[in-house]
């Protein structure tokens, strides 16, 4: 499990600055949908290059054949992990500090536990307990956010997109894990996609982002916004680290997890690492104030739950 832990930490460290950059762009007054659209365009460009380097000049042909072979699954998986997921995250950075958004990502923990049970990969009680501890830490940080903005709990309704994030992220992760590992007791309609170009997480992501481009174009019709050069430049850097680099380490971590429920649960618990990185970055770079006692207490609870999880069987 030690190798998986290192891969997971490296993946989270590479992905964490995305929330911070999105928050910085939001504070500059940049349009949140334009930021999300630029991300998808950059991702298709970079992933096309990575996949071609991995599989040579026939990569496009192999990818097309793979898509046609499991077309229904790809459509479902891409709808779950499509623009709605990331656009919700970008929108959240316009409504709350980056460290709050990063923390709210851990709201998927109860959903992840339920999804794993439905997909015949339930966690043991000793593995479930620390995840619940982490979720209570999220509740404390939510209370800190309410106190900071000086309103009531109705203020959290402005963060409603997190509901989309927590459901779709947990379900999308489970579908990828089952298909890419070809777990024997997976649900019958999930195919085994773990051979040839299907072994590459970058090929999976390329299909995802390529299918998302037409959806983003439709969204732009209802919310037209041209990206600025600042958005293009900074989002390009973010995509390199969060999609190319982080995706590589995520693939290694998932491979180490195999079909183990406990090891797969670590992937759901790992966003706790990103909270610390995001908070330090927001305080030092964006000059945001430190959170109050409730927020810090929530972060301690999340960190404690994470380390308890590592020590549980």
């Amino acid at each position: 499990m030690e190798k998986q832990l290192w891969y997971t930490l490296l993946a989270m460290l590479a992905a964490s600055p995305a929330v911070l950059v999105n928050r910085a762009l939001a504070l500059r007054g940049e349009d949140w949908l334009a930021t999300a659209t630029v991300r998808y365009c950059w991702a298709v460009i970079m992933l096309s290059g990575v996949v071609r380097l991995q599989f040579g000049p026939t990569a496009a042909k192999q990818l097309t054949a793979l898509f046609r072979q499991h077309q229904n699954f790809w459509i479902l998986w891409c709808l779950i992990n499509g623009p709605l997921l990331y656009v919700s995250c970008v929108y959240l950075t316009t409504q709350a500090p980056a460290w709050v958004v990063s923390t709210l990502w851990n709201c998927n923990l109860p959903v992840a536990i339920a999804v794993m049970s439905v997909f015949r990969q339930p966690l043991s009680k000793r593995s479930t307990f620390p995840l619940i501890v982490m979720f209570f830490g999220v509740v404390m940080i939510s209370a800190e956010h309410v106190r900071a903005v000086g309103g009531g709990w109705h203020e959290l309704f402005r963060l409603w997109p997190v509901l989309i994030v927590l459901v779709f992220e947990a379900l999308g992760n489970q579908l990828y894990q089952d298909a890419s590992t070809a777990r024997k007791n997976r649900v019958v309609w999930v195919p085994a996609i773990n051979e040839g170009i299907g072994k590459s997480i970058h090929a999976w992501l390329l299909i995802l982002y390529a299918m998302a481009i037409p959806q983003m174009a439709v969204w732009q019709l209802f919310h037209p916004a041209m990206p600025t050069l600042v958005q293009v430049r900074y989002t390009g850097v973010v995509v390199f680290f969060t999609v190319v680099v982080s995706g590589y380490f995520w693939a290694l971590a998932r491979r180490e997890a195999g079909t183990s429920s406990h090891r797969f649960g670590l992937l759901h618990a790992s966003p706790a690492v990103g909270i610390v990185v995001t908070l330090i970055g927001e305080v030092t770079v964006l000059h945001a104030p430190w959170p109050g006692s409730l927020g810090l207490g929530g972060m301690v609870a999340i960190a404690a739950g994470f380390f308890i999880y590592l020590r549980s069987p």
Side-chain angles (χ1 to χ4, degrees), residues 201-257:
I201 190 173
H202 293 114
W204 280 67
L205 293 174
L206 180 53
I207 292 176
L208 168 65
Y209 284 105
M211 290 187 68
I213 293 294
Q215 299 177 56
M216 297 302 296
V218 173
W219 285 28
Q220 286 285 346
L221 293 177
F222 297 95
H223 183 92
M226 289 298 294
T228 64
L229 289 177
V230 171
Q231 283 174 295
V232 173
R233 184 168 62 249
Y234 282 97
T235 303
V237 175
V238 166
V239 168
F240 175 76
F241 284 102
T242 61
V243 178
V244 179
V245 178
S246 180
Y248 171 74
F249 286 116
W250 269 121
L252 294 177
R254 291 171 186 274
R255 192 175 304 162
E256 289 293 322

Short mmCIF file of all heavy atoms in Angstrom, two decimals, residues 201-257:
data_model
loop_
_atom_site.label_atom_id
_atom_site.label_comp_id
_atom_site.label_asym_id
_atom_site.label_seq_id
_atom_site.Cartn_x
_atom_site.Cartn_y
_atom_site.Cartn_z
N ILE A 201 -4.68 5.69 -19.22
CA ILE A 201 -5.64 6.63 -18.65
C ILE A 201 -5.73 7.89 -19.51
O ILE A 201 -6.78 8.54 -19.59
CB ILE A 201 -5.27 7.01 -17.20
CG1 ILE A 201 -6.43 7.78 -16.54
CG2 ILE A 201 -3.98 7.82 -17.15
CD1 ILE A 201 -6.24 8.05 -15.06
N HIS A 202 -4.65 8.23 -20.20
CA HIS A 202 -4.68 9.40 -21.07
C HIS A 202 -5.59 9.17 -22.28
O HIS A 202 -6.22 10.11 -22.76
CB HIS A 202 -3.26 9.74 -21.54
CG HIS A 202 -2.37 10.19 -20.43
ND1 HIS A 202 -1.28 9.47 -20.00
CD2 HIS A 202 -2.41 11.29 -19.62
CE1 HIS A 202 -0.69 10.11 -19.00
NE2 HIS A 202 -1.35 11.21 -18.75
N ALA A 203 -5.70 7.92 -22.73
CA ALA A 203 -6.64 7.61 -23.82
C ALA A 203 -8.08 7.76 -23.32
O ALA A 203 -8.94 8.30 -24.02
CB ALA A 203 -6.40 6.19 -24.34
N TRP A 204 -8.34 7.30 -22.10
CA TRP A 204 -9.66 7.47 -21.49
C TRP A 204 -10.01 8.95 -21.41
O TRP A 204 -11.10 9.38 -21.77
CB TRP A 204 -9.67 6.87 -20.09
CG TRP A 204 -9.84 5.39 -20.00
CD1 TRP A 204 -8.95 4.44 -20.42
CD2 TRP A 204 -10.96 4.69 -19.47
NE1 TRP A 204 -9.44 3.19 -20.16
CE2 TRP A 204 -10.67 3.31 -19.57
CE3 TRP A 204 -12.17 5.08 -18.90
CZ2 TRP A 204 -11.56 2.33 -19.14
CZ3 TRP A 204 -13.05 4.12 -18.46
CH2 TRP A 204 -12.75 2.76 -18.58
N LEU A 205 -9.06 9.74 -20.91
CA LEU A 205 -9.31 11.17 -20.73
C LEU A 205 -9.48 11.88 -22.07
O LEU A 205 -10.28 12.83 -22.17
CB LEU A 205 -8.16 11.81 -19.94
CG LEU A 205 -8.03 11.36 -18.49
CD1 LEU A 205 -6.77 11.94 -17.86
CD2 LEU A 205 -9.25 11.76 -17.68
N LEU A 206 -8.77 11.43 -23.10
CA LEU A 206 -8.90 12.06 -24.41
C LEU A 206 -10.31 11.84 -24.96
O LEU A 206 -10.92 12.77 -25.51
CB LEU A 206 -7.87 11.48 -25.38
CG LEU A 206 -7.89 12.05 -26.82
CD1 LEU A 206 -7.81 13.57 -26.81
CD2 LEU A 206 -6.76 11.46 -27.64
N ILE A 207 -10.84 10.65 -24.79
CA ILE A 207 -12.22 10.39 -25.21
C ILE A 207 -13.18 11.28 -24.43
O ILE A 207 -14.11 11.88 -24.99
CB ILE A 207 -12.58 8.90 -25.01
CG1 ILE A 207 -11.79 8.02 -25.98
CG2 ILE A 207 -14.09 8.68 -25.19
CD1 ILE A 207 -12.02 6.53 -25.78
N LEU A 208 -12.94 11.40 -23.13
CA LEU A 208 -13.80 12.22 -22.26
C LEU A 208 -13.81 13.68 -22.70
O LEU A 208 -14.88 14.27 -22.92
CB LEU A 208 -13.31 12.11 -20.82
CG LEU A 208 -13.89 13.11 -19.81
CD1 LEU A 208 -15.38 12.86 -19.64
CD2 LEU A 208 -13.17 13.01 -18.47
N TYR A 209 -12.63 14.27 -22.87
CA TYR A 209 -12.55 15.69 -23.21
C TYR A 209 -13.01 15.97 -24.64
O TYR A 209 -13.62 17.01 -24.91
CB TYR A 209 -11.13 16.20 -22.98
CG TYR A 209 -10.80 16.41 -21.52
CD1 TYR A 209 -9.98 15.53 -20.83
CD2 TYR A 209 -11.33 17.50 -20.82
CE1 TYR A 209 -9.69 15.73 -19.48
CE2 TYR A 209 -11.05 17.70 -19.49
CZ TYR A 209 -10.23 16.80 -18.82
OH TYR A 209 -9.95 17.00 -17.49
N ALA A 210 -12.71 15.05 -25.54
CA ALA A 210 -13.14 15.24 -26.94
C ALA A 210 -14.67 15.24 -27.03
O ALA A 210 -15.27 16.04 -27.76
CB ALA A 210 -12.55 14.15 -27.83
N MET A 211 -15.33 14.36 -26.28
CA MET A 211 -16.79 14.31 -26.29
C MET A 211 -17.41 15.52 -25.59
O MET A 211 -18.56 15.86 -25.82
CB MET A 211 -17.28 13.02 -25.65
CG MET A 211 -17.01 11.76 -26.46
SD MET A 211 -17.80 10.29 -25.75
CE MET A 211 -19.54 10.66 -26.01
N ALA A 212 -16.62 16.15 -24.71
CA ALA A 212 -17.14 17.29 -23.96
C ALA A 212 -17.14 18.58 -24.78
O ALA A 212 -17.93 19.49 -24.50
CB ALA A 212 -16.32 17.50 -22.69
N ILE A 213 -16.27 18.68 -25.78
CA ILE A 213 -16.15 19.91 -26.57
C ILE A 213 -17.49 20.35 -27.18
O ILE A 213 -17.87 21.52 -27.06
CB ILE A 213 -15.07 19.76 -27.65
CG1 ILE A 213 -13.67 19.64 -27.01
CG2 ILE A 213 -15.10 20.94 -28.61
CD1 ILE A 213 -13.23 20.90 -26.28
N PRO A 214 -18.24 19.45 -27.86
CA PRO A 214 -19.53 19.88 -28.42
C PRO A 214 -20.50 20.36 -27.34
O PRO A 214 -21.27 21.31 -27.57
CB PRO A 214 -20.06 18.62 -29.11
CG PRO A 214 -18.85 17.81 -29.41
CD PRO A 214 -17.93 18.05 -28.26
N GLN A 215 -20.47 19.73 -26.16
CA GLN A 215 -21.35 20.17 -25.07
C GLN A 215 -20.98 21.57 -24.61
O GLN A 215 -21.85 22.40 -24.34
CB GLN A 215 -21.24 19.18 -23.90
CG GLN A 215 -21.66 17.76 -24.23
CD GLN A 215 -21.48 16.83 -23.05
OE1 GLN A 215 -22.01 17.06 -21.98
NE2 GLN A 215 -20.71 15.77 -23.26
N MET A 216 -19.68 21.84 -24.52
CA MET A 216 -19.25 23.17 -24.11
C MET A 216 -19.66 24.21 -25.14
O MET A 216 -20.00 25.35 -24.79
CB MET A 216 -17.73 23.19 -23.91
CG MET A 216 -17.22 22.27 -22.81
SD MET A 216 -17.94 22.64 -21.18
CE MET A 216 -17.30 24.29 -20.90
N ALA A 217 -19.63 23.84 -26.42
CA ALA A 217 -20.04 24.78 -27.47
C ALA A 217 -21.51 25.15 -27.31
O ALA A 217 -21.89 26.31 -27.51
CB ALA A 217 -19.79 24.14 -28.84
N VAL A 218 -22.34 24.18 -26.95
CA VAL A 218 -23.77 24.45 -26.73
C VAL A 218 -23.94 25.39 -25.53
O VAL A 218 -24.73 26.33 -25.57
CB VAL A 218 -24.54 23.14 -26.51
CG1 VAL A 218 -25.99 23.42 -26.10
CG2 VAL A 218 -24.51 22.30 -27.79
N TRP A 219 -23.18 25.12 -24.45
CA TRP A 219 -23.28 25.99 -23.27
C TRP A 219 -22.89 27.42 -23.61
O TRP A 219 -23.46 28.36 -23.08
CB TRP A 219 -22.36 25.44 -22.17
CG TRP A 219 -22.91 24.23 -21.48
CD1 TRP A 219 -23.77 23.29 -22.01
CD2 TRP A 219 -22.67 23.83 -20.14
NE1 TRP A 219 -24.04 22.33 -21.09
CE2 TRP A 219 -23.39 22.62 -19.93
CE3 TRP A 219 -21.91 24.33 -19.10
CZ2 TRP A 219 -23.37 21.94 -18.73
CZ3 TRP A 219 -21.89 23.65 -17.89
CH2 TRP A 219 -22.61 22.47 -17.71
N GLN A 220 -21.91 27.58 -24.48
CA GLN A 220 -21.45 28.92 -24.85
C GLN A 220 -22.55 29.70 -25.59
O GLN A 220 -22.56 30.94 -25.56
CB GLN A 220 -20.20 28.82 -25.73
CG GLN A 220 -18.94 28.45 -24.97
CD GLN A 220 -18.40 29.60 -24.15
OE1 GLN A 220 -18.79 30.75 -24.32
NE2 GLN A 220 -17.49 29.30 -23.22
N LEU A 221 -23.47 28.99 -26.24
CA LEU A 221 -24.57 29.67 -26.91
C LEU A 221 -25.47 30.40 -25.91
O LEU A 221 -26.01 31.46 -26.19
CB LEU A 221 -25.41 28.67 -27.72
CG LEU A 221 -24.71 28.01 -28.92
CD1 LEU A 221 -25.65 26.98 -29.55
CD2 LEU A 221 -24.30 29.06 -29.94
N PHE A 222 -25.61 29.81 -24.72
CA PHE A 222 -26.48 30.40 -23.69
C PHE A 222 -25.72 31.31 -22.74
O PHE A 222 -26.32 32.13 -22.03
CB PHE A 222 -27.16 29.29 -22.89
CG PHE A 222 -28.07 28.42 -23.73
CD1 PHE A 222 -27.62 27.23 -24.27
CD2 PHE A 222 -29.38 28.81 -23.97
CE1 PHE A 222 -28.45 26.44 -25.05
CE2 PHE A 222 -30.22 28.02 -24.74
CZ PHE A 222 -29.76 26.83 -25.29
N HIS A 223 -24.40 31.15 -22.71
CA HIS A 223 -23.58 31.98 -21.82
C HIS A 223 -22.30 32.35 -22.57
O HIS A 223 -21.22 31.86 -22.25
CB HIS A 223 -23.25 31.21 -20.53
CG HIS A 223 -22.48 32.01 -19.53
ND1 HIS A 223 -23.08 32.74 -18.53
CD2 HIS A 223 -21.14 32.22 -19.37
CE1 HIS A 223 -22.17 33.34 -17.79
NE2 HIS A 223 -20.97 33.03 -18.28
N PRO A 224 -22.40 33.17 -23.60
CA PRO A 224 -21.23 33.49 -24.42
C PRO A 224 -20.18 34.28 -23.64
O PRO A 224 -20.52 35.24 -22.94
CB PRO A 224 -21.81 34.31 -25.57
CG PRO A 224 -23.08 34.89 -25.02
CD PRO A 224 -23.62 33.88 -24.06
N ALA A 225 -18.95 33.83 -23.74
CA ALA A 225 -17.85 34.53 -23.06
C ALA A 225 -16.54 34.16 -23.72
O ALA A 225 -16.22 32.98 -23.84
CB ALA A 225 -17.82 34.16 -21.58
N MET A 226 -15.80 35.14 -24.16
CA MET A 226 -14.50 34.90 -24.79
C MET A 226 -13.41 34.88 -23.72
O MET A 226 -13.35 35.78 -22.88
CB MET A 226 -14.21 35.99 -25.82
CG MET A 226 -15.07 35.91 -27.07
SD MET A 226 -14.80 34.36 -27.98
CE MET A 226 -13.09 34.61 -28.49
N PRO A 227 -12.56 33.89 -23.75
CA PRO A 227 -11.47 33.83 -22.76
C PRO A 227 -10.42 34.89 -23.04
O PRO A 227 -10.20 35.29 -24.19
CB PRO A 227 -10.90 32.42 -22.96
CG PRO A 227 -11.23 32.08 -24.39
CD PRO A 227 -12.55 32.73 -24.66
N THR A 228 -9.78 35.34 -22.01
CA THR A 228 -8.69 36.30 -22.14
C THR A 228 -7.37 35.55 -22.28
O THR A 228 -7.29 34.34 -22.04
CB THR A 228 -8.63 37.23 -20.92
OG1 THR A 228 -8.31 36.43 -19.76
CG2 THR A 228 -9.97 37.92 -20.70
N LEU A 229 -6.31 36.27 -22.64
CA LEU A 229 -4.99 35.65 -22.76
C LEU A 229 -4.51 35.11 -21.42
O LEU A 229 -3.81 34.09 -21.35
CB LEU A 229 -3.99 36.66 -23.31
CG LEU A 229 -4.16 37.04 -24.79
CD1 LEU A 229 -3.15 38.12 -25.17
CD2 LEU A 229 -3.99 35.81 -25.68
N VAL A 230 -4.89 35.79 -20.34
CA VAL A 230 -4.51 35.32 -19.00
C VAL A 230 -5.14 33.96 -18.73
O VAL A 230 -4.47 33.03 -18.23
CB VAL A 230 -4.95 36.34 -17.93
CG1 VAL A 230 -4.75 35.76 -16.53
CG2 VAL A 230 -4.18 37.64 -18.08
N GLN A 231 -6.42 33.80 -19.07
CA GLN A 231 -7.08 32.51 -18.87
C GLN A 231 -6.43 31.42 -19.70
O GLN A 231 -6.20 30.30 -19.22
CB GLN A 231 -8.56 32.62 -19.25
CG GLN A 231 -9.42 33.30 -18.19
CD GLN A 231 -10.84 33.50 -18.68
OE1 GLN A 231 -11.08 34.23 -19.62
NE2 GLN A 231 -11.78 32.84 -18.02
N VAL A 232 -6.13 31.74 -20.95
CA VAL A 232 -5.52 30.74 -21.84
C VAL A 232 -4.16 30.30 -21.30
O VAL A 232 -3.85 29.10 -21.26
CB VAL A 232 -5.37 31.32 -23.26
CG1 VAL A 232 -4.59 30.35 -24.15
CG2 VAL A 232 -6.75 31.59 -23.87
N ARG A 233 -3.36 31.26 -20.87
CA ARG A 233 -2.01 30.95 -20.41
C ARG A 233 -2.02 30.14 -19.11
O ARG A 233 -1.40 29.06 -19.04
CB ARG A 233 -1.22 32.26 -20.21
CG ARG A 233 0.23 32.02 -19.82
CD ARG A 233 1.04 33.30 -19.92
NE ARG A 233 0.55 34.35 -19.03
CZ ARG A 233 -0.04 35.46 -19.44
NH1 ARG A 233 -0.27 35.65 -20.73
NH2 ARG A 233 -0.44 36.37 -18.58
N TYR A 234 -2.73 30.61 -18.11
CA TYR A 234 -2.72 29.93 -16.81
C TYR A 234 -3.46 28.60 -16.85
O TYR A 234 -3.05 27.64 -16.20
CB TYR A 234 -3.32 30.85 -15.73
CG TYR A 234 -2.37 31.90 -15.27
CD1 TYR A 234 -2.40 33.20 -15.80
CD2 TYR A 234 -1.40 31.63 -14.31
CE1 TYR A 234 -1.51 34.17 -15.39
CE2 TYR A 234 -0.51 32.59 -13.88
CZ TYR A 234 -0.57 33.86 -14.43
OH TYR A 234 0.32 34.83 -14.01
N THR A 235 -4.54 28.54 -17.61
CA THR A 235 -5.27 27.28 -17.71
C THR A 235 -4.45 26.22 -18.42
O THR A 235 -4.52 25.03 -18.08
CB THR A 235 -6.61 27.49 -18.45
OG1 THR A 235 -7.37 28.49 -17.77
CG2 THR A 235 -7.42 26.20 -18.47
N GLY A 236 -3.63 26.62 -19.38
CA GLY A 236 -2.76 25.67 -20.05
C GLY A 236 -1.78 25.01 -19.09
O GLY A 236 -1.56 23.79 -19.14
N VAL A 237 -1.20 25.81 -18.20
CA VAL A 237 -0.27 25.27 -17.19
C VAL A 237 -1.02 24.32 -16.26
O VAL A 237 -0.53 23.23 -15.93
CB VAL A 237 0.38 26.41 -16.39
CG1 VAL A 237 1.24 25.84 -15.26
CG2 VAL A 237 1.21 27.31 -17.30
N VAL A 238 -2.22 24.72 -15.84
CA VAL A 238 -3.02 23.90 -14.94
C VAL A 238 -3.36 22.55 -15.58
O VAL A 238 -3.26 21.50 -14.95
CB VAL A 238 -4.31 24.64 -14.53
CG1 VAL A 238 -5.30 23.68 -13.88
CG2 VAL A 238 -3.99 25.77 -13.58
N VAL A 239 -3.75 22.58 -16.85
CA VAL A 239 -4.12 21.34 -17.54
C VAL A 239 -2.93 20.40 -17.62
O VAL A 239 -3.08 19.18 -17.45
CB VAL A 239 -4.67 21.65 -18.95
CG1 VAL A 239 -4.77 20.39 -19.79
CG2 VAL A 239 -6.03 22.32 -18.84
N PHE A 240 -1.75 20.92 -17.88
CA PHE A 240 -0.57 20.06 -17.96
C PHE A 240 -0.38 19.28 -16.66
O PHE A 240 -0.14 18.08 -16.66
CB PHE A 240 0.68 20.87 -18.27
CG PHE A 240 1.95 20.06 -18.26
CD1 PHE A 240 2.24 19.20 -19.31
CD2 PHE A 240 2.81 20.13 -17.17
CE1 PHE A 240 3.40 18.43 -19.28
CE2 PHE A 240 3.97 19.36 -17.14
CZ PHE A 240 4.26 18.51 -18.19
N PHE A 241 -0.50 19.98 -15.53
CA PHE A 241 -0.27 19.32 -14.24
C PHE A 241 -1.46 18.47 -13.79
O PHE A 241 -1.28 17.36 -13.30
CB PHE A 241 0.08 20.35 -13.17
CG PHE A 241 1.48 20.88 -13.28
CD1 PHE A 241 1.74 22.12 -13.84
CD2 PHE A 241 2.56 20.12 -12.84
CE1 PHE A 241 3.02 22.59 -13.95
CE2 PHE A 241 3.86 20.58 -12.95
CZ PHE A 241 4.10 21.83 -13.52
N THR A 242 -2.68 18.98 -13.97
CA THR A 242 -3.84 18.27 -13.44
C THR A 242 -4.30 17.12 -14.32
O THR A 242 -4.86 16.14 -13.82
CB THR A 242 -5.02 19.23 -13.22
OG1 THR A 242 -5.39 19.81 -14.49
CG2 THR A 242 -4.67 20.33 -12.25
N VAL A 243 -4.09 17.23 -15.62
CA VAL A 243 -4.57 16.18 -16.54
C VAL A 243 -3.44 15.24 -16.94
O VAL A 243 -3.55 14.02 -16.81
CB VAL A 243 -5.21 16.80 -17.80
CG1 VAL A 243 -5.65 15.71 -18.77
CG2 VAL A 243 -6.41 17.66 -17.40
N VAL A 244 -2.32 15.79 -17.41
CA VAL A 244 -1.23 14.95 -17.91
C VAL A 244 -0.43 14.34 -16.76
O VAL A 244 -0.31 13.11 -16.65
CB VAL A 244 -0.30 15.76 -18.84
CG1 VAL A 244 0.85 14.87 -19.33
CG2 VAL A 244 -1.08 16.32 -20.02
N VAL A 245 0.09 15.18 -15.87
CA VAL A 245 0.94 14.69 -14.78
C VAL A 245 0.12 13.96 -13.72
O VAL A 245 0.42 12.81 -13.36
CB VAL A 245 1.73 15.85 -14.14
CG1 VAL A 245 2.57 15.33 -12.97
CG2 VAL A 245 2.62 16.52 -15.17
N SER A 246 -0.92 14.62 -13.21
CA SER A 246 -1.74 14.00 -12.18
C SER A 246 -2.41 12.73 -12.71
O SER A 246 -2.52 11.73 -12.00
CB SER A 246 -2.81 14.98 -11.68
OG SER A 246 -3.61 14.39 -10.68
N GLY A 247 -2.86 12.77 -13.95
CA GLY A 247 -3.50 11.58 -14.54
C GLY A 247 -2.56 10.39 -14.56
O GLY A 247 -2.97 9.25 -14.32
N TYR A 248 -1.29 10.63 -14.84
CA TYR A 248 -0.30 9.55 -14.85
C TYR A 248 -0.18 8.90 -13.48
O TYR A 248 -0.22 7.67 -13.35
CB TYR A 248 1.05 10.11 -15.30
CG TYR A 248 2.20 9.15 -15.16
CD1 TYR A 248 2.34 8.07 -16.03
CD2 TYR A 248 3.14 9.31 -14.14
CE1 TYR A 248 3.39 7.17 -15.89
CE2 TYR A 248 4.20 8.42 -14.00
CZ TYR A 248 4.32 7.36 -14.88
OH TYR A 248 5.36 6.47 -14.73
N PHE A 249 -0.06 9.73 -12.43
CA PHE A 249 0.09 9.17 -11.08
C PHE A 249 -1.21 8.54 -10.59
O PHE A 249 -1.19 7.55 -9.85
CB PHE A 249 0.57 10.26 -10.11
CG PHE A 249 2.02 10.62 -10.30
CD1 PHE A 249 2.38 11.90 -10.70
CD2 PHE A 249 3.01 9.69 -10.08
CE1 PHE A 249 3.71 12.24 -10.88
CE2 PHE A 249 4.36 10.02 -10.26
CZ PHE A 249 4.70 11.30 -10.66
N TRP A 250 -2.35 9.10 -11.00
CA TRP A 250 -3.62 8.48 -10.65
C TRP A 250 -3.72 7.08 -11.24
O TRP A 250 -4.21 6.15 -10.59
CB TRP A 250 -4.80 9.33 -11.15
CG TRP A 250 -5.29 10.35 -10.20
CD1 TRP A 250 -5.35 11.70 -10.40
CD2 TRP A 250 -5.81 10.16 -8.87
NE1 TRP A 250 -5.86 12.35 -9.30
CE2 TRP A 250 -6.14 11.42 -8.36
CE3 TRP A 250 -5.99 9.03 -8.08
CZ2 TRP A 250 -6.66 11.59 -7.06
CZ3 TRP A 250 -6.51 9.19 -6.80
CH2 TRP A 250 -6.84 10.45 -6.31
N ALA A 251 -3.26 6.94 -12.48
CA ALA A 251 -3.31 5.62 -13.13
C ALA A 251 -2.46 4.61 -12.36
O ALA A 251 -2.86 3.46 -12.15
CB ALA A 251 -2.84 5.73 -14.57
N LEU A 252 -1.27 5.05 -11.92
CA LEU A 252 -0.42 4.15 -11.15
C LEU A 252 -1.06 3.80 -9.81
O LEU A 252 -0.99 2.64 -9.36
CB LEU A 252 0.95 4.82 -10.91
CG LEU A 252 1.81 5.06 -12.16
CD1 LEU A 252 3.10 5.78 -11.77
CD2 LEU A 252 2.14 3.75 -12.86
N ALA A 253 -1.68 4.80 -9.16
CA ALA A 253 -2.33 4.53 -7.88
C ALA A 253 -3.50 3.57 -8.03
O ALA A 253 -3.69 2.66 -7.21
CB ALA A 253 -2.82 5.85 -7.26
N ARG A 254 -4.28 3.73 -9.08
CA ARG A 254 -5.42 2.85 -9.32
C ARG A 254 -4.94 1.44 -9.65
O ARG A 254 -5.57 0.46 -9.26
CB ARG A 254 -6.28 3.40 -10.45
CG ARG A 254 -7.02 4.67 -10.09
CD ARG A 254 -7.68 5.27 -11.33
NE ARG A 254 -8.28 6.55 -11.04
CZ ARG A 254 -9.52 6.71 -10.56
NH1 ARG A 254 -10.26 5.65 -10.33
NH2 ARG A 254 -10.00 7.91 -10.33
N ARG A 255 -3.82 1.34 -10.37
CA ARG A 255 -3.28 0.02 -10.70
C ARG A 255 -2.83 -0.69 -9.43
O ARG A 255 -3.02 -1.90 -9.28
CB ARG A 255 -2.11 0.18 -11.68
CG ARG A 255 -1.65 -1.12 -12.32
CD ARG A 255 -0.59 -0.82 -13.36
NE ARG A 255 -1.09 0.13 -14.36
CZ ARG A 255 -0.29 0.82 -15.16
NH1 ARG A 255 1.02 0.70 -15.07
NH2 ARG A 255 -0.81 1.65 -16.05
N GLU A 256 -2.22 0.05 -8.50
CA GLU A 256 -1.81 -0.54 -7.23
C GLU A 256 -3.02 -0.95 -6.40
O GLU A 256 -2.97 -1.93 -5.66
CB GLU A 256 -0.95 0.45 -6.44
CG GLU A 256 0.43 0.70 -7.01
CD GLU A 256 1.32 -0.53 -6.93
OE1 GLU A 256 1.25 -1.26 -5.91
OE2 GLU A 256 2.09 -0.77 -7.87
N ALA A 257 -4.11 -0.20 -6.52
CA ALA A 257 -5.33 -0.53 -5.75
C ALA A 257 -5.92 -1.85 -6.21
O ALA A 257 -6.45 -2.62 -5.39
CB ALA A 257 -6.36 0.60 -5.91
#
